[in-house]
Amino acid sequence: MFEHRHLLGIEHLKPSDITAILDRADTFATTPDSRAVRKDSLAGLTQINMFFENSTRTQASFEIAGKRLGADVMNMAMQASSIKKGETLIDTALTLNAMHPDLLVVRHPNSGAVALLAQKVNCAVINAGDGKHEHPTQALLDALTIRRRKGRLQRLTVAICGDIAHSRVARSNIMLLGKMENRVRLVGPRTLMPPGIEKFGVEVTDDMETGLKDADVVMMLRLQRERMDGGFIPSEREYYHRFGLDAAKLSHAKPDAIVMHPGPMNRGVEIDGEIADDINRSVIQEQVEMGVAVRMAVLEMLGEGRG
Amino acid sequence: MTLLYNARLIDPEAGTDTLGALLIEDGVVREVFENPVDLQQFSARTQIDCGGKCLAPGIVDIGVKICEPGERHKESFRSAGRAAVRGGTTTIVTRPDTEPTIDTPEMVRFQIERAEDDTPVNVLPMAALTKGRMGREMTEIGFLTDAGAVAFTDCDAVVADTKVLSRALTYAAGLGALVIGHPQEPQLSKGACMTSGQYASQLGLPAVSPLAERMGLERELALVEASGVRWHADQITTAAALPILRRARTAGLPVTAGTSIHHLTLNEFDVADYRTFFKVKPPLRSEEDRLAILTALIDGDIDIISSMHTPQDEESKRLPFEEAASGAVGLETLLPAALQLVHGEYLTLPELFAKLSLNPARLLGLECGRLTVGAPADLILFDPDLPYVLDRWSLASKSKNTPYDLRRMQGKVLGTWVAGTRVYAGDEA
């Protein structure tokens, strides 16, 4: 039984919660035919997507997920509305709350902002990414992709590479993969490693060969240029040379290792275009597909509590 | 003429904690008696039975922000004065980081007048070291001193240009002025709201290395050595800064150091789920740092405990952590929070009042902070043990941003006297 009122992060989930979400998501992922998975389990419920930060794929994914379950989905482009008028996050939350939504999907540029909002509303809140803190549905869809490809979600060696410091995806993935008892390696330049990260139960290296050695999964992160407030790397070409995933670096991983990327990709910066498009190695498109399934599962499980 | 008898006299100067009585007259301590006193002898005078509770010199709190001018809705002289008497502070030393900055003699006089009109406690203003705290031109340190400024500080706006700082310190040294610095490397700490480490990384909050404090301190102390200026660190909060501080003191530099009650009693984990009432400047530190600071306080490397009273209204705190304002109110909670150090047997009461009253008074050249004959009768009567749960809405400050909300506290002020006049007589409610 899923006992949580909100999904604010991986941090508060038990391994059994994670398995339950993935099992449910699997039922939505088995067929690519959207008519076959269409349900009305959220019929009559209102889902509002509040994105205080630009997003194409995550917002679309949540919208499709909600609609396939019969929810009334509304998108609010927060940059264009009240924020500009100086309304605070909490006022916005209270205003929305008065309209009695059932599910609130929120992305915000500040760490902790989604949790703050969740304290002020009566509906279920789903964190669609808060600052550099967490992005739980991304970690869950990554987990589902790995589980389907590898047949299991434990005792795997997962290398997470690149801009760890600015990545909420990395934080959620480190926690999820750790909870499910996998070996996690972080690879990247030291300027892009958050201080104290080695205490998270991970191995840290700034050498791709060491980091990728015998890995089952290679997870590349986007270089978050918009979150950087100074020079973290000397140049993109040096970064690509040392940390960009190409065939030579990937050869150190297991022969059947899969390549993942949360998107959007900077081809030629953190990943070689050919690797990204190699259907034998890259599961990047599948991740997007699993995104819808995982979000359907999360919305449905949180929505059930509100029936 | 008033006799305060049956009191535990806490005298930080003598280091004593004895039962006795005080006779106060004309605003000063006229006589100190060891128990017992013959009450008949004083029958003509007002007699107050202290009930065996503690009588100590009132707190001298360096670095209090009163938000006049500019943000009176956060704290006024009137509300700060009420908070002070309830918290046992009899001398407030105000920060100049108001809107606008206190950087002209006129502004200093304005503050002194406002304080006289509206507060029952002593208020001593500090002025900015540079105009507008912009770090470009030094203020009129001479005129400001004449107007009544007791020290010069740009608060948390560290003067980044070392040449400007060097000249300001050299000029201040020539006038014998006291400069209060905020040891922090300004570039490194820009935008940070946590101390870097595992916890900040987990929360995904911008963080600054604790070494930024050491780097800032080293720069300032090198300039102190060059200029000979009397210099005080507002808050030393990290273990890494302590060897630097000790070295300067051993070398005989005119340097003293303070710390905030928040850094002595809280650590980074108190931030928990982005609780903005725990956002202070510098950010709360690791438990290792807190313990190191506590040890330095006990050993005498840190001289002064301040509240760093920084009122912030609900609006400015009800925001995502990164965007929320920094600071916590502290005038009313300084004493009960500091008494934790006594209850934990880290300090005795006279030792605590050396940090709260005597040392800051000496730094500023004040006569108070002692229970000696002739000292100003700035006194507080308090029960060090009285337990209660703090309710932030009960605070007298206009702003209620205390990190101790709903915490179990011990110790309450029962009475406050300033220059012999009783200005607070316990909870009226």
Side-chain angles (χ1 to χ4, degrees), chain B residues 255-384:
Chain B
V255 168
T256 50
T259 193
S260 91
I261 188 62
H262 303 121
H263 291 90
L264 277 173
T265 56
L266 305 168
N267 69 25
E268 58 183 349
F269 295 126
D270 284 301
V271 170
D273 283 333
Y274 305 95
R275 295 197 289 172
T276 57
F277 281 13
F278 294 83
K279 182 177 179 180
V280 292
K281 247 187 190 176
L284 291 175
R285 304 303 192 179
S286 69
E287 179 64 3
E288 291 74 23
D289 277 333
R290 188 189 75 87
L291 291 172
I293 294 307
L294 182 54
T295 306
L297 184 82
I298 295 164
D299 294 346
D301 291 319
I302 292 177
D303 312 272
I304 291 170
I305 307 172
S306 300
S307 73
M308 295 310 290
H309 182 81
T310 305
Q312 298 290 2
D313 57 11
E314 298 291 301
E315 279 294 277
S316 50
K317 282 287 187 185
R318 286 197 329 169
L319 289 170
F321 198 85
E322 267 181 83
E323 298 190 344
S326 295
V329 289
L331 275 172
E332 255 172 281
T333 46
L334 173 57
L335 181 61
L339 283 169
Q340 289 177 22
L341 307 180
V342 175
H343 294 129
E345 296 181 353
Y346 296 103
L347 295 173
T348 63
L349 278 170
E351 283 166 350
L352 178 65
F353 277 85
K355 311 291 184 188
L356 291 173
S357 306
L358 179 65
N359 293 348
R362 279 184 175 160
L363 179 65
L364 298 167
L366 307 174
E367 287 294 308
C368 60
R370 308 171 296 147
L371 290 187
T372 320
V373 172
D378 294 350
L379 303 168
I380 58 170
L381 179 66
F382 67 97
D383 179 343

Side-chain angles (χ1 to χ4, degrees), chain B residues 5 13 32 46 62 92 96 109 118 120 126 130 141-142 170 252 261 288 302 317 320 323 361 369 389 403 410 415:
Chain B
Y5 69 97
E13 193 174 46
V32 184
T46 313
I62 297 182
I92 293 174
R109 279 187 218 107
D118 266 358
M126 297 192 283
T130 68
I141 296 172
T170 305
I261 188 62
E288 291 74 23
I302 292 177
K317 282 287 187 185
E323 298 190 344
V389 174
Q410 253 185 296

Side-chain angles (χ1 to χ4, degrees), chain B residues 149-160:
Chain B
V150 296
F152 296 84
T153 179
D154 275 1
C155 306
D156 59 351
V158 176
V159 179

Side-chain angles (χ1 to χ4, degrees), chain A residues 11 110-112 133 171 194-195 199, chain B residues 197-198 201-204 274 323:
Chain A
E11 189 191 347
N110 290 135
S111 303
H133 179 223
R171 281 171 180 75
K199 293 179 190 154
Chain B
Q198 183 187 6
S201 290
Q202 186 180 326
L203 294 178
Y274 305 95
E323 298 190 344

Side-chain angles (χ1 to χ4, degrees), chain B residues 89-353:
Chain B
T89 293
T90 49
T91 300
I92 293 174
V93 183
T94 58
R95 302 210 305 260
D97 55 344
T98 47
E99 276 295 328
T101 303
I102 307 300
D103 58 1
T104 62
E106 293 75 19
M107 297 287 285
V108 169
R109 279 187 218 107
F110 163 80
Q111 286 214 312
I112 292 171
E113 277 170 27
R114 287 289 301 122
E116 277 171 4
D117 288 348
D118 266 358
T119 52
V121 299
N122 309 306
V123 175
L124 303 174
M126 297 192 283
L129 184 66
T130 68
K131 288 174 187 161
R133 301 194 302 132
M134 303 290 280
R136 286 197 283 270
E137 293 171 79
M138 72 176 91
T139 52
E140 295 169 315
I141 296 172
F143 280 159
L144 287 160
T145 304
D146 295 344
V150 296
F152 296 84
T153 179
D154 275 1
C155 306
D156 59 351
V158 176
V159 179
D161 187 328
T162 307
K163 191 172 270 181
V164 172
L165 182 61
S166 168
R167 286 178 184 154
L169 295 187
T170 305
Y171 191 86
L175 289 163
L178 173 69
V179 173
I180 298 188
H182 180 75
Q184 193 68 216
E185 209 294 310
Q187 294 301 321
L188 210 49
S189 54
K190 204 155 83 181
C193 56
M194 286 284 280
T195 302
S196 66
Q198 183 187 6
Y199 197 54
S201 290
Q202 186 180 326
L203 294 178
L205 290 171
V208 60
S209 163
L211 293 178
E213 182 171 297
R214 185 185 97 182
M215 292 163 69
L217 184 64
E218 286 192 288
R219 184 183 72 135
E220 303 245 359
L221 290 179
L223 294 174
V224 170
E225 193 178 329
S227 64
V229 70
R230 287 199 300 133
W231 190 86
H232 173 74
D234 65 347
Q235 304 173 73
I236 295 291
T237 62
T238 62
L242 292 171
I244 316 301
L245 179 66
R246 285 192 200 105
R247 198 179 64 201
R249 303 192 76 154
T250 310
L253 296 185
V255 168
T256 50
T259 193
S260 91
I261 188 62
H262 303 121
H263 291 90
L264 277 173
T265 56
L266 305 168
N267 69 25
E268 58 183 349
F269 295 126
D270 284 301
V271 170
D273 283 333
Y274 305 95
R275 295 197 289 172
T276 57
F277 281 13
F278 294 83
K279 182 177 179 180
V280 292
K281 247 187 190 176
L284 291 175
R285 304 303 192 179
S286 69
E287 179 64 3
E288 291 74 23
D289 277 333
R290 188 189 75 87
L291 291 172
I293 294 307
L294 182 54
T295 306
L297 184 82
I298 295 164
D299 294 346
D301 291 319
I302 292 177
D303 312 272
I304 291 170
I305 307 172
S306 300
S307 73
M308 295 310 290
H309 182 81
T310 305
Q312 298 290 2
D313 57 11
E314 298 291 301
E315 279 294 277
S316 50
K317 282 287 187 185
R318 286 197 329 169
L319 289 170
F321 198 85
E322 267 181 83
E323 298 190 344
S326 295
V329 289
L331 275 172
E332 255 172 281
T333 46
L334 173 57
L335 181 61
L339 283 169
Q340 289 177 22
L341 307 180
V342 175
H343 294 129
E345 296 181 353
Y346 296 103
L347 295 173
T348 63
L349 278 170
E351 283 166 350
L352 178 65
F353 277 85

Side-chain angles (χ1 to χ4, degrees), chain B residues 26-38:
Chain B
D26 298 333
V28 298
V29 176
R30 183 63 67 209
E31 242 180 304
V32 184
F33 304 96
E34 299 273 313
N35 230 27
V37 284
D38 176 13

